[in-house]
């Protein structure tokens, strides 16, 4: 039975499609795995076991559908995504009992493709964090070392995939929140170009930065999920009205590496990165070169301003996006308040954790009268320069590579009391969201000193996820497969 | 920019948050540190640069003016902390 | 008073008559039960996103064209952030920098002649819901049906100098909106709202005085009263050496005064920024040309045409074109019976009076233009007198009956048979020898008496002209 859960998504999908495995068996296997691992990793906020089984039985009764590429495949989605009829808490007390009457578009597309939503994954509250320690409900443990964080904010999604609780998860990425957990948990994570996947139903954090994307165990798995969720949505004005190419076909093409020009930004490969990380990433690049790729030295000179830029933009947008949590129409309301202003203040103060409150305050401040030009407008100007850095670099290379994070998964409690230090974890991931470009994190081995997974980032060009996936697929073939996560042995 | 306790209180009020003096005292230096970090943007010459507020490059999406009723009132009110089945109910403003 | 000058600017919020809200497909229909026209988007649920209604854009642009405003081919939606229960997202999607339209103008008629009032800008925004305060409990009830309905905000330059000018501007603006079919202009129901900014300065002073904003005026008459009161208040303050506070005030219609909202209102920091969920609004020049071709004849042009084509005096033209439906009614009636001045009179006096009495609009009126035109034609032909026409008007108005049929059924045809009338005149004169004698002695005014008697005997149906001729002939 446990063999089923270690399959890749593609293999599982194929087994289901031929009838070798029933949907119900797939769901039961995953639920069993959830039961076995949850006490140790706490990746999930809610499990929709009955609904999943009922859905599986429905699907089995109708039989496999060849036009549904995820028929019968159990998946888990981050609790920031609305799933109709299921609790959606965003890791926050302020939405403790919120049950949306609609599905996020990405979730609806998974369902339409035959996937079965098994559970909602833990996350940093409102996607604000890099370790999942900011969840109001529980701290997720890294399956590779239960005393360490899984990364954030999609930590539950990363841990669930690494622990084989399901075959893929949906996470969201605003400043690295898919890629960092993917790196820390040793799996593949993909952030699409801004506008590639509909944001409708994703509870907004940084609206001009947010994207939904897959975490999975292989590049092909991620490509399959992306092909289901990508595409124009008339309910999202920022979603691009261009058809998504066939990502699976892109993988079948010639090796993604021959003739591939890989840009290495000097700002990502220098000081401040743990030696074991540099070494593992360099080894992967060398293997790519052996397979026919070339390396190009590039520079992304505004990298050092990226974090400040990101946080101004993200916090400003977040402060406005979170204003709707006021206890009037849904979510937590303080019942003792006898008067409206009091009700607002107490409900929001009780409902939001410290990190969220900090970001709301900073965001409100940078937008407030007198500060807009100095902060928000200024950040938007620097944002254009950061984007231009990438566009300039792509004149001489096809993809850009660098470590996902300067350090491997850090100990739980080790960084969380130092907000600024936590923000600096995002140094390599953040620019991509500002530029709106696509990128992935790929596991390239275990660190020689820590024994923890190391992630290599690959950045692609605007709406060229097919080329990105092809390159990643090529690299994946050259890197050693990871063993089972040590923390669950 | 240095954030004083008064600044924190004023901004918290704008954001409808209530900070205890302890919390304000905890936050103020943290916020200060973050804001000081943000001030580094002052080093960048942006005199001729158009702000990029969003990566989107396409023109506005619009929809036709056709009415659709997809949600019942019950669905809309289902998560309301207080309702009489017709309205959302809140305490009055004083 | 003569040494002071009032400076008035007006902000109008007009609800657009689109089928759906500005950013979601909920119906904008009025009168449905609370929260029946609400969806996750306009209820501000987590994760929802706005998508703009293309007809709202069209309507806003048409208004811009009607007042000669420039349409910005690119404009930006911005978030206006504040907390209130009728504002689900905690921000209103509006426009701040780079609005849709700028620099328009409206011509108004004043006692001193035509005046141009500038319009600074028109922008699009979404309406808020309704917050109903309980009078018995410590509760407010929130209805989001109206939340998200498209509005255009029209901001005038501070060009007006009196409450009369302000009202003239509002009436013309409203008339244009209704003519375009983009707004139903109902002040009482709130589809046409006005805030006034008033300040006072000494005549000749180039600087503006401190201004106060007056909200909550829901009729033209109240706008006039509120502005007049406020001007007086400012002058009193200046004369008393008191500073005028820049603030928002409410007009109390019962007391006829404005009252400070101080203590209730706090300075808002709206923290405007471009809405990242919406992309810049782009208007194609080809759309503008298409829409321009669809503009109806506007009030000012129609007024001019009525004066030129129908030979109507300015006043009549003004009254008839105040409502497009009245103008259409008039033209339909004139099409049946080409006597514009007479038709105008009947509409302005009898028809308007009946409509006002029963509070109905001309659209639902049972007496159609053809019917009214027929009535006038019948009177002109002499079949009945104008007086009788007025007497029966009410019945025709309520029933919408064909006037010919009605007159025939009631036997109201005017008596124009000279022979028959002759006999009646003789009868009356014979019965009043005293009055006849007094008339012949010089009391010519007694004509009226004789006419009255004759009318009584004929139940008002005697042809007055003939009666006059017969009397003159017999009395000398």
């Amino acid at each position: 039975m446990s063999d089923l859960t270690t399959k890749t998504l593609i293999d599982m999908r194929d087994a289901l499609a031929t009838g070798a495995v029933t949907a119900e068996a797939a769901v039961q296997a995953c639920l069993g795995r959830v039961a076995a691992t949850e006490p140790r990793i706490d990746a999930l906020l809610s499990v929709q076991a009955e609904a999943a089984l009922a859905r599986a039985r429905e699907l089995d009764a109708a039989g496999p559908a060849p036009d549904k590429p995820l028929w019968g495949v159990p998946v888990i989605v981050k609790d920031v995504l609305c799933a109709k009829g299921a609790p959606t808490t965003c890791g926050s007390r302020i939405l403790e009992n919120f049950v949306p009457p609609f599905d996020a578009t990405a979730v609806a597309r998974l369902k339409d493709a035959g996937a079965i939503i098994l559970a909602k994954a833990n996350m940093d509250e409102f996607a604000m964090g890099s370790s999942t320690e900011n969840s109001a409900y529980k701290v997720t443990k890294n399956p590779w070392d239960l005393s360490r964080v899984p990364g954030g904010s999609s930590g539950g999604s990363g841990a669930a995939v690494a622990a084989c609780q399901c075959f893929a998860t949906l996470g969201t990425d605003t400043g690295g929140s898919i890629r960092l957990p993917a790196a820390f948990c040793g799996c593949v994570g993909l952030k699409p170009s801004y506008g590639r996947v509909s944001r409708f139903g994703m509870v907004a954090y940084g609206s001009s930065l947010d994207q939904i994307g897959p975490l999975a165990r292989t590049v092909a798995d991620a490509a399959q999920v992306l092909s289901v969720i990508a595409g124009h949505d008339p309910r999202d004005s920022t979603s691009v009205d261009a058809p998504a190419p066939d990502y699976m076909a892109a993988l079948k093409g010639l090796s993604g590496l021959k003739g591939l020009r890989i840009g290495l930004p000097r700002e990502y490969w220098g000081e401040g990165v743990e030696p074991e990380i540099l070494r593992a990433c360099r080894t992967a690049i060398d293997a790519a070169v052996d397979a026919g790729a070339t390396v190009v030295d590039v520079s992304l000179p505004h990298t050092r301003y990226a974090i400040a830029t990101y946080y101004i933009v993200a916090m400003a947008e977040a402060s406005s996006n979170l204003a709707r949590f006021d206890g009037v129409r849904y979510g937590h309301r303080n019942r003792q308040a006898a008067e409206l202003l009091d009700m607002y203040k107490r409900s929001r103060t009780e409902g939001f954790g410290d990190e969220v409150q900090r970001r709301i305050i900073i965001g409100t401040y940078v937008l407030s009268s007198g500060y807009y030009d100095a902060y928000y407008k200024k950040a938007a100007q620097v944002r254009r320069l950061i984007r231009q850095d990438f566009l300039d670099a792509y004149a001489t290379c096809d993809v850009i590579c660098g470590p996902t994070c300067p350090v491997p998964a850090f100990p739980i409690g080790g960084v969380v009391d130092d907000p600024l230090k936590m923000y600096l974890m995002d140094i390599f991931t953040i620019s991509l969201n500002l530029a709106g470009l696509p990128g992935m994190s790929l596991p390239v081995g275990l660190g020689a000193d820590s024994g923890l997974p190391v992630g290599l980032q690959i950045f692609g060009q605007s709406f060229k996820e097919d080329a990105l996936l092809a390159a990643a697929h090529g690299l994946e073939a050259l890197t050693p497969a990871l063993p089972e996560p040590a923390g669950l042995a | 920019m240095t954030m004083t306790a008064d600044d924190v209180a004023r901004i918290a009020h704008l954001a409808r948050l209530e900070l205890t003096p302890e919390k304000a005292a905890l936050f103020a230096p943290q916020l200060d540190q973050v804001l000081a970090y943000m001030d580094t943007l002052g080093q960048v010459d942006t005199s001729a640069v158009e702000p990029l507020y969003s990566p989107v490059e396409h023109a506005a999406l619009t929809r036709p003016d056709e009415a659709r009723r997809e949600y019942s009132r019950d669905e809309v009110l289902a998560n309301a902390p207080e309702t009489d089945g017709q309205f959302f109910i809140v305490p009055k403003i004083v | 008073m003569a040494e002071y000058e009032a400076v008035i600017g007006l902000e109008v919020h007009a609800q657009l008559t689109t089928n759906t809200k500005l950013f979601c497909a909920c119906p904008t229909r009025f009168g449905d039960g609370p929260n029946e026209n609400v969806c996750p988007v306009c209820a501000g649920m987590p994760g929802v996103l706005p998508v703009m209604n293309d007809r709202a854009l069209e309507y806003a642009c048409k208004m811009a064209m009607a007042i000669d405003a420039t349409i910005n081919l690119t404009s930006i939606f911005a978030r206006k952030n504040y907390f209130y229960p009728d504002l689900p997202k905690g921000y209103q999607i509006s426009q701040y920098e780079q609005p849709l339209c700028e620099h328009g103008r409206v011509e108004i008629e004043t006692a001193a002649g035509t005046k141009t009032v500038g319009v600074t800008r028109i922008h699009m925004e979404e309406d808020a819901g309704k917050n109903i305060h309980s009078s018995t409990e410590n509760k407010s009830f929130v209805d989001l049906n109206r939340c998200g309905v498209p509005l255009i905000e029209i901001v005038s330059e501070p060009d007006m100098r009196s409450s009369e000018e302000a009202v003239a501007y509002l009436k013309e603006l409203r008339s244009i909106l209704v003519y375009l079919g983009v707004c139903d202009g109902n002040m009482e129901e709130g589809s046409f709202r006005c805030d006034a900014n008033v300040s006072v300065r000494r005549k000749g002073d180039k600087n503006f005085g401190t201004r106060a904003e007056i909200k909550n005026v829901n009729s033209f008459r109240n706008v006039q009263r509120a502005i007049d009161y406020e001007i007086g208040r400012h002058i009193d303050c200046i004369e008393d050496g008191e500073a005028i506070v820049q603030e928002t005030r409410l007009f109390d219609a019962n007391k006829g005064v404005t009252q400070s909202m101080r203590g209730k209102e706090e300075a808002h920091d709206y923290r405007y920024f471009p809405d990242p969920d919406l992309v810049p609004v782009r208007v194609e020049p080809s759309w503008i040309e298409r829409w321009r071709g669809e503009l109806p004849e506007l009030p000012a042009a129609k007024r001019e045409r009525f004066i030129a084509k129908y030979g109507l005096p300015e006043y009549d033209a003004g009254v008839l074109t105040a409502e497009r439906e009245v103008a259409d009614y008039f033209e339909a009636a004139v099409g049946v019976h080409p006597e514009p001045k007479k038709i105008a009179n009947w509409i302005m006096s009898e028809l308007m009076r009946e409509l006002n009495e029963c509070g109905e609009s001309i659209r639902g009126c049972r007496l159609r233009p053809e019917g009214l035109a027929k009535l006038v034609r019948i009177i002109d032909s002499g079949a009945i007198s104008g007086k009788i026409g007025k007497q029966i008007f009410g019945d025709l108005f309520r029933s919408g009956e064909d006037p010919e049929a009605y007159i025939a059924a009631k036997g109201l045809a005017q008596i124009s048979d000279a022979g028959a009338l002759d006999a009646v005149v003789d009868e009356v004169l014979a019965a009043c020898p005293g009055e006849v004698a007094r008339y012949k002695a010089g009391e010519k005014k007694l004509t009226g008496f004789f006419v009255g008697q004759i009318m009584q005997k004929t139940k008002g149906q005697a042809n007055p002209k003939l009666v006059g001729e017969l009397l003159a002939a017999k009395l000398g």
Side-chain angles (χ1 to χ4, degrees):
Chain A
M1 237 348 180
S2 62
D3 281 343
L4 283 182
T5 61
T6 58
K7 282 184 184 305
T8 64
L9 178 143
I10 299 288
D11 286 347
M12 189 57 176
R13 185 272 304 277
D14 290 343
L16 285 160
T18 59
V21 178
T22 62
E24 184 171 353
V27 170
Q28 293 285 19
C30 289
L31 287 174
R33 186 73 180 154
V34 166
T37 54
E38 266 301 279
R40 283 175 286 171
I41 64 171
D42 276 317
L44 309 176
L45 287 174
S46 64
V47 180
Q48 283 76 49
E50 273 170 38
L53 282 169
R55 181 73 185 130
R57 285 170 193 142
E58 241 174 51
L59 289 178
D60 284 335
D67 62 329
K68 295 200 187 287
L70 293 178
W71 189 90
V73 177
V75 298
I76 290 173
V77 304
K78 184 176 181 180
D79 209 21
V80 77
L81 299 172
C82 288
K84 183 172 178 174
T88 299
T89 69
C90 302
S92 178
R93 291 280 171 210
I94 214 164
L95 282 180
E96 190 157 19
N97 296 310
F98 178 66
V99 176
F102 62 97
D103 279 326
T105 297
V107 172
R109 287 185 181 181
L110 286 179
K111 289 181 178 177
D112 285 346
I116 299 174
I117 314 291
L118 201 65
K120 306 303 284 305
N122 194 22
M123 52 182 284
D124 281 299
E125 187 178 0
F126 286 108
M128 299 181 183
S130 306
S131 64
T132 309
E133 290 168 288
N134 289 330
S135 168
Y137 295 98
K138 53 178 73 170
V139 175
T140 300
K141 287 73 172 177
N142 192 323
W144 289 86
D145 178 338
L146 302 176
S147 71
R148 292 177 183 264
V149 301
S153 60
S154 310
S157 304
V161 163
C164 296
Q165 289 180 344
C166 64
F167 298 92
T169 59
L170 285 187
T172 64
D173 191 313
T174 305
S177 292
I178 286 175
R179 291 163 285 149
L180 189 61
F184 281 10
C185 293
C187 61
V188 173
L190 182 150
K191 182 200 90 70
S193 309
Y194 185 84
R196 179 78 281 180
V197 176
S198 168
R199 290 183 299 116
F200 187 86
M202 172 189 166
V203 181
Y205 157 28
S207 313
S208 73
L209 303 155
D210 293 337
Q211 269 292 281
I212 299 170
L215 290 96
R217 293 195 278 281
T218 70
V219 172
D221 290 354
Q224 180 60 82
V225 174
L226 182 66
S227 59
V228 167
I229 62 175
H232 179 60
D233 181 10
R235 289 188 293 178
D236 177 356
S237 295
T238 60
S239 86
V240 98
D241 193 359
D246 186 345
Y247 296 120
M248 300 311 291
L251 298 182
K252 293 189 180 94
L254 297 167
S255 156
L257 293 180
K258 210 173 186 79
L260 185 75
R261 297 171 303 162
I262 302 176
L264 299 182
R266 57 187 89 119
E267 295 82 5
Y268 286 42
W269 289 88
E271 48 175 83
V273 184
E274 286 291 314
E276 68 168 20
I277 300 214
L278 281 175
R279 196 156 357 122
C281 290
R282 193 75 227 195
T283 303
I285 299 295
D286 290 343
V289 169
D290 286 344
T294 53
V295 155
V296 180
D297 179 37
V298 298
S299 174
L300 300 173
H302 293 91
T303 299
R304 75 189 124 118
Y305 301 111
I307 290 192
T309 304
Y310 166 83
Y311 278 104
I312 292 173
V313 172
M315 293 194 194
E317 293 177 358
S319 71
S320 177
N321 284 329
L322 268 56
R324 68 191 62 199
F325 301 106
D326 56 11
V328 172
R329 291 145 289 118
Y330 46 79
H332 171 70
R333 178 193 291 194
N334 173 288
R335 303 287 178 176
Q336 285 73 51
E339 182 275 322
L340 187 73
L341 178 61
D342 217 19
M343 183 202 92
Y344 278 155
K345 288 190 169 182
R346 294 211 223 173
S347 304
R348 288 166 63 78
T349 307
E350 287 165 9
F352 289 137
D354 279 1
E355 182 59 31
V356 171
Q357 291 189 37
R358 260 193 294 267
R359 294 193 192 198
I360 290 175
I361 289 174
I362 294 177
T364 305
Y365 183 81
V366 306
L367 287 176
S368 68
S369 173
Y371 296 110
Y372 179 91
D373 282 1
Y375 286 113
Y376 191 71
K377 184 172 173 193
K378 182 78 177 179
Q381 289 170 308
V382 179
R383 183 175 185 173
R384 188 176 291 280
L385 295 174
I386 288 172
R387 180 168 151 100
Q388 195 56 47
D389 281 357
F390 280 94
L391 301 181
D392 291 344
Y394 282 131
T396 58
C397 63
D398 304 310
V399 296
I400 290 171
C401 285
T404 306
C405 185
V407 299
F410 46 86
I412 292 171
V415 178
V416 77
D417 291 326
D418 188 340
L420 190 59
K421 187 169 178 194
M422 187 67 85
Y423 299 163
L424 294 170
M425 291 295 157
D426 296 336
I427 184 73
F428 295 142
T429 52
I430 240 166
S431 297
L432 204 67
N433 301 81
L434 291 167
L437 298 172
M440 297 176 67
S441 179
L442 191 67
V444 290
L446 299 179
D449 306 320
S450 66
L452 296 167
V454 175
L456 175 74
Q457 275 195 108
I458 312 173
F459 297 161
Q461 299 187 39
S462 195
F463 293 97
K464 297 229 168 77
E465 285 82 354
D466 46 353
L468 173 64
L469 285 161
H473 190 55
L475 259 171
E476 181 184 49
L478 302 174
T479 53
L482 296 184
E484 291 218 8
L488 294 176
Chain B
M1 296 268 91
T2 319
M3 261 199 131
T4 63
D6 272 352
D7 285 333
V8 176
R10 176 176 56 88
I11 298 292
H13 174 68
L14 267 183
R16 297 301 183 263
L17 292 172
E18 196 167 48
L19 299 186
T20 60
E22 296 76 40
K23 186 87 33 105
L26 171 70
F27 278 10
Q30 291 172 336
L31 300 175
D32 241 5
Q33 204 189 20
V34 173
L35 286 171
Y37 188 73
M38 290 174 174
D39 285 338
T40 60
L41 289 191
Q43 298 161 11
V44 186
D45 179 8
T46 53
S47 43
V49 183
E50 268 300 296
L52 182 75
Y53 291 114
S54 163
V56 160
E57 283 169 329
H58 57 259
L61 177 78
T62 62
R63 88 197 134 73
D65 189 29
E66 283 153 21
R68 273 202 310 273
R69 271 254 199 88
E70 288 177 324
Y71 295 89
S72 69
R73 176 163 65 191
D74 286 343
E75 282 180 290
V76 168
L77 293 174
N79 286 286
E82 193 179 343
T83 175
D84 60 359
Q86 291 193 300
F87 294 94
F88 297 97
I89 300 176
V90 296
K92 261 198 205 166
I93 304 181
V94 154
Chain C
M1 178 59 196
E3 54 183 294
Y4 294 106
E5 175 175 68
V7 174
I8 301 159
L10 296 171
E11 277 169 28
V12 165
H13 287 87
Q15 264 182 6
L16 299 179
T17 53
T18 54
N19 296 319
T20 63
K21 298 185 177 184
L22 185 52
F23 294 114
C24 68
C26 287
T28 52
R29 203 165 48 227
F30 192 78
D32 287 334
N35 291 306
E36 280 178 3
N37 293 329
V38 179
C39 74
V41 176
C42 53
M45 287 196 185
V48 298
L49 296 171
V51 181
M52 184 179 63
N53 176 341
D54 63 11
R55 185 164 285 148
L57 180 63
E58 174 191 335
Y59 282 7
C61 287
K62 282 183 166 168
M63 184 55 186
M65 286 185 263
I67 63 167
D68 285 332
T70 317
I71 296 174
N72 289 329
L73 296 183
T74 302
S75 65
I76 309 267
F77 278 114
R79 295 189 185 177
K80 180 179 182 181
N81 298 279
Y82 65 95
F83 286 86
Y84 205 64
D86 65 5
L87 194 71
K89 296 188 292 295
Y91 59 85
Q92 176 196 32
I93 301 178
S94 176
Q95 295 189 296
Y96 185 56
E97 295 174 344
Q98 270 186 271
L100 182 64
C101 332
E102 295 178 286
H103 311 311
R105 61 202 167 83
V106 173
E107 310 268 315
I108 59 172
E109 297 302 319
T110 70
T114 308
K115 176 173 177 157
T116 302
V117 175
V119 172
T120 316
R121 55 187 271 155
I122 302 179
H123 71 248
M124 289 193 285
E125 59 184 33
E126 50 177 359
D127 209 346
K130 279 208 167 97
N131 212 18
I132 305 161
H133 303 296
S134 165
S135 49
T136 50
E137 300 172 276
N138 175 34
K139 291 182 181 190
S140 296
F141 297 86
V142 183
D143 173 12
L144 299 178
N145 277 354
R146 198 184 64 176
C147 188
V149 168
L151 297 176
I152 43 174
E153 180 174 327
I154 306 168
V155 181
S156 82
E157 295 284 338
D159 287 347
M160 290 154 281
R161 296 287 172 267
S162 69
S163 62
E164 288 77 22
E165 287 183 6
V167 172
Y169 167 81
L170 288 175
K171 285 184 170 172
E172 184 67 10
L173 203 68
R174 182 188 164 284
S175 185
I176 295 172
L177 286 164
V178 175
Y179 261 64
L180 290 171
V182 308
C183 174
D184 64 29
N186 191 323
M187 268 182 112
E188 285 77 43
E189 280 177 6
S191 64
F192 183 86
R193 302 171 216 159
C194 172
D195 299 330
N197 288 301
V198 179
S199 68
V200 163
R201 63 185 174 189
R202 290 209 140 79
K203 272 215 172 94
D205 192 347
K206 292 267 182 317
N207 299 319
F208 289 135
T210 309
R211 67 162 203 260
E213 183 188 16
I214 312 170
K215 288 178 111 78
N216 195 33
V217 252
N218 59 4
S219 72
F220 292 131
R221 176 165 146 64
N222 283 337
V223 166
Q224 184 145 5
R225 293 167 70 207
I227 291 175
D228 284 338
Y229 174 83
E230 192 61 16
I231 293 170
R233 189 182 74 85
H234 282 224
I235 292 175
D236 287 345
C237 281
I238 295 172
E239 312 247 278
D240 291 347
E242 254 179 63
I244 293 162
V245 179
Q246 179 168 327
E247 60 178 352
T248 305
R249 299 175 70 86
L250 293 179
F251 180 65
D252 182 327
N254 292 326
K255 297 185 187 151
V257 302
T258 63
Q259 281 160 342
S260 172
M261 283 176 79
R262 229 174 307 173
K264 274 190 176 183
E265 263 259 304
E266 43 172 64
H268 284 291
D269 181 353
Y270 292 120
R271 309 184 295 289
Y272 285 98
F273 70 102
D275 194 329
D277 291 332
L278 290 161
V279 294
V281 181
R282 296 223 173 90
V283 179
E284 296 293 320
S286 61
W287 303 348
I288 296 179
E289 285 328 299
R290 174 165 39 99
W291 292 334
R292 195 183 300 280
E294 292 169 4
L295 292 180
E297 183 182 39
L298 293 173
K302 206 182 277 283
R303 270 197 301 273
E304 305 280 313
R305 185 169 64 81
F306 275 20
I307 293 169
K309 177 173 176 183
Y310 299 113
L312 292 173
E314 209 176 293
Y315 174 79
D316 291 20
V319 172
L320 291 172
T321 59
E323 302 277 336
R324 184 174 166 185
E325 283 157 349
V326 174
D328 291 346
Y329 189 105
F330 166 78
E331 291 205 275
V334 169
V336 170
H337 182 55
E339 289 284 347
K341 186 66 179 110
K342 290 180 184 166
I343 302 254
N345 287 341
W346 277 90
I347 291 176
M348 293 192 297
S349 51
E350 305 306 312
L351 185 63
M352 293 294 194
R353 190 195 60 234
E354 293 291 345
L355 288 172
N356 286 339
E357 260 171 35
C358 64
E360 273 172 28
S361 84
I362 205 168
R363 196 184 320 155
C365 173
R366 290 206 173 88
L367 180 61
R368 302 314 309 149
E370 303 72 34
L372 185 139
K374 253 190 180 175
L375 177 65
V376 177
R377 188 170 58 202
I378 291 168
I379 292 168
D380 284 352
S381 74
I384 61 166
S385 68
K387 191 168 173 186
I388 297 216
K390 289 191 175 152
Q391 281 170 3
I392 67 172
F393 191 87
D395 280 353
L396 293 175
F397 173 82
R398 279 178 285 280
S399 68
E401 240 181 286
D402 173 61
E404 260 169 17
Y406 181 96
I407 286 164
K410 301 253 176 174
L412 294 172
Q414 197 165 253
I415 302 169
S416 294
D417 176 351
L421 271 183
D422 198 81
V424 174
V425 172
D426 285 340
E427 233 183 277
V428 163
L429 290 180
C432 314
E435 283 78 5
V436 172
R438 280 163 60 196
Y439 179 88
K440 290 197 169 152
E443 279 187 54
K444 301 296 175 197
K445 282 193 303 188
L446 284 168
T447 313
F449 168 75
F450 295 129
V451 170
Q453 293 293 300
I454 292 162
M455 285 302 179
Q456 248 182 37
K457 276 217 186 301
T458 61
K459 296 201 203 89
Q461 286 168 252
N463 183 323
K465 189 156 168 267
L466 253 184
V467 166
E469 284 167 9
L470 287 168
L471 276 175
K474 289 171 196 290
L475 291 171

